[in-house]
Amino acid sequence: MSNSHNHLNQLHLLVESHLDQVGFFCEEWTFQPHIKLTFRDWLKEAMVGVEEVVSENNSNMNKWQLLFGLLIFQQVRKQLIHLGFYSFRKQEVENLLLSFMQTFSSDTFKSIENDEELSSILKRSEQDFPLLKQRERLECTTTDQMTWLKQWLTRPHFSKYVQYYTALSVPNQQLQLKKEVINQLFPLQNHTPTRRTFFQIIDYHLDYDEGIRAWLYFPQDPLLFTREEQSLFKKICEHRVDLAVPLYMQWIERLIEKKSSAHYKKAHIYLKELQKMSERTNDQNRFEQYLAMIRKKYRKYSAFYEGLKQVEA
């Protein structure tokens, strides 16, 4: 029995060991679209386990990590179909998988394609996820994009990004550029000009999930939100109430904890906006439950508590 066959058996066992976690993500995904960000981070951590079950040199490890990811995504598709929700998340799943696959080089794909047994997994994924059939192998523009990106990162500028992005004629090239730019800018959120450029790009693409991820990983005082952050949040409120409500709840408590009159005033404004949103979506019960929790939790914050009367009026 070949080493390749043995490694593949070990890989299947590793995937099976994660089925419960995959099932959890799929159930959450049915009503929490941004859970895909947590899933993406979890997949990166789970891939470390591939090194523990596959004894290969580093040059071949990417091949097995890619196969592991493909097998995991096949399980995601299977479980979402079982839940009757795959049609609602199909595009999100395919885009997430395409983004995952573009982290691997063309040499990694070729090493799989040259192995009949392993290539069947790639072919199965292309059958299950039609979007993958449109993918480029990354050779065409990787060098040019990396050269442009390296120069652009010395002084990130939104208009220059849009100019280069729109000049790319192939959708997969645009997707790769967007992914690389977001990944490079994401860790630099503490630098205000970079943060503003990041949110301009997120707003341009209407990528609400990446904006939410930035707010979660790099908490910001809501009173200090940039114009770009405010613009994105306004669009989330208009188009994705399911994402806006938990953001409101998180920021209201963050404001209250600051214990200043300016922060209390903003918290009251957010509460009124949340109340109007709940009325618009016929979800008043949820708002009343949240308001009751706020009253109880912050009953000793007299200045804030006094202002609640305006919300309840």
Side-chain angles (χ1 to χ4, degrees):
M1 188 176 292
S2 67
N3 285 336
S4 178
H5 187 77
N6 286 331
H7 292 335
L8 188 55
N9 285 338
Q10 292 297 319
L11 211 59
H12 280 292
L13 291 174
L14 181 62
V15 171
E16 289 180 11
S17 71
H18 290 302
L19 290 184
D20 287 344
Q21 188 66 41
V22 171
F24 165 77
F25 281 120
C26 289
E27 290 179 2
E28 293 293 307
W29 207 338
T30 60
F31 59 90
Q32 292 189 46
H34 60 277
I35 196 69
K36 69 182 182 183
L37 302 175
T38 307
F39 170 76
R40 182 177 59 187
D41 294 338
W42 169 82
L43 181 57
K44 290 180 181 179
E45 295 179 2
M47 284 170 60
V48 176
V50 176
E51 300 177 11
E52 299 175 0
V53 300
V54 176
S55 300
E56 281 276 13
N57 56 49
N58 291 333
S59 62
N60 288 328
M61 188 55 63
N62 285 342
K63 172 178 67 178
W64 297 106
Q65 290 179 330
L66 172 55
L67 290 169
F68 172 75
L70 293 176
L71 291 170
I72 288 291
F73 271 95
Q74 288 176 10
Q75 290 298 324
V76 168
R77 178 180 180 274
K78 180 179 179 180
Q79 297 209 34
L80 283 175
I81 289 175
H82 176 72
L83 292 169
F85 219 83
Y86 182 66
S87 61
F88 297 98
R89 293 286 175 258
K90 181 177 182 293
Q91 186 173 359
E92 292 179 12
V93 174
E94 289 194 347
N95 286 334
L96 195 60
L97 174 55
L98 184 59
S99 177
F100 165 77
M101 292 178 71
Q102 288 185 328
T103 63
F104 296 91
S105 69
S106 58
D107 289 338
T108 301
F109 285 99
K110 289 176 182 177
S111 66
I112 293 175
E113 292 167 345
N114 291 333
D115 186 307
E116 183 177 354
E117 185 174 19
L118 301 184
S119 65
S120 64
I121 297 176
L122 182 58
K123 292 177 181 177
R124 171 64 183 275
S125 295
E126 291 177 341
Q127 291 174 358
D128 289 343
F129 307 100
L131 182 64
L132 303 188
K133 296 177 182 179
Q134 305 173 18
R135 67 183 175 86
E136 299 292 326
R137 284 294 191 254
L138 305 180
E139 299 100 333
C140 53
T141 58
T142 298
T143 301
D144 290 343
Q145 283 194 17
M146 290 303 102
T147 300
W148 178 88
L149 183 59
K150 184 177 180 180
Q151 183 177 10
W152 181 81
L153 285 170
T154 61
R155 192 175 181 180
H157 195 280
F158 174 65
S159 63
K160 291 182 179 179
Y161 166 80
V162 173
Q163 182 180 14
Y164 187 75
Y165 177 86
T166 54
L168 296 173
S169 58
V170 180
N172 282 355
Q173 295 173 2
Q174 293 180 324
L175 180 62
Q176 183 188 352
L177 175 67
K178 171 190 168 185
K179 173 182 174 297
E180 289 293 339
V181 165
I182 290 175
N183 285 345
Q184 292 287 343
L185 294 186
F186 186 84
L188 308 177
Q189 297 293 305
N190 292 325
H191 184 249
T192 301
T194 301
R195 185 180 181 95
R196 296 187 68 171
T197 300
F198 173 84
F199 273 94
Q200 277 183 299
I201 293 172
I202 295 302
D203 194 1
Y204 173 73
H205 291 294
L206 299 180
D207 196 335
Y208 305 137
D209 291 318
E210 282 295 344
I212 291 173
R213 188 164 76 103
W215 283 321
L216 292 175
Y217 277 75
F218 300 93
Q220 176 69 290
D221 184 339
L223 291 185
L224 301 179
F225 281 165
T226 64
R227 181 172 62 253
E228 293 76 17
E229 291 175 82
Q230 293 171 8
S231 174
L232 181 67
F233 183 52
K234 181 179 180 181
K235 290 178 181 176
I236 292 176
C237 292
E238 291 174 353
H239 304 293
R240 292 296 303 274
V241 174
D242 59 316
L243 300 179
V245 169
L247 284 174
Y248 267 120
M249 292 178 174
Q250 180 187 44
W251 290 341
I252 287 169
E253 294 194 56
R254 189 178 299 171
L255 285 162
I256 298 172
E257 296 291 347
K258 292 291 185 179
K259 298 181 180 180
S260 78
S261 58
H263 288 87
Y264 288 159
K265 182 177 180 180
K266 188 67 173 179
H268 294 143
I269 292 173
Y270 274 179
L271 278 167
K272 288 291 287 185
E273 291 175 357
L274 182 58
Q275 183 181 39
K276 291 178 181 178
M277 185 175 291
S278 68
E279 292 171 353
R280 191 169 74 244
T281 58
N282 294 318
D283 198 13
Q284 294 96 326
N285 288 339
R286 184 182 183 187
F287 174 77
E288 289 299 331
Q289 291 173 358
Y290 176 71
L291 189 60
M293 183 276 292
I294 289 294
R295 289 196 208 98
K296 182 178 180 180
K297 185 174 181 179
Y298 299 106
R299 61 183 181 278
K300 295 182 179 180
Y301 290 50
S302 56
F304 167 75
Y305 203 84
E306 183 66 22
L308 278 179
K309 296 177 181 178
Q310 299 176 6
V311 177
E312 298 169 329

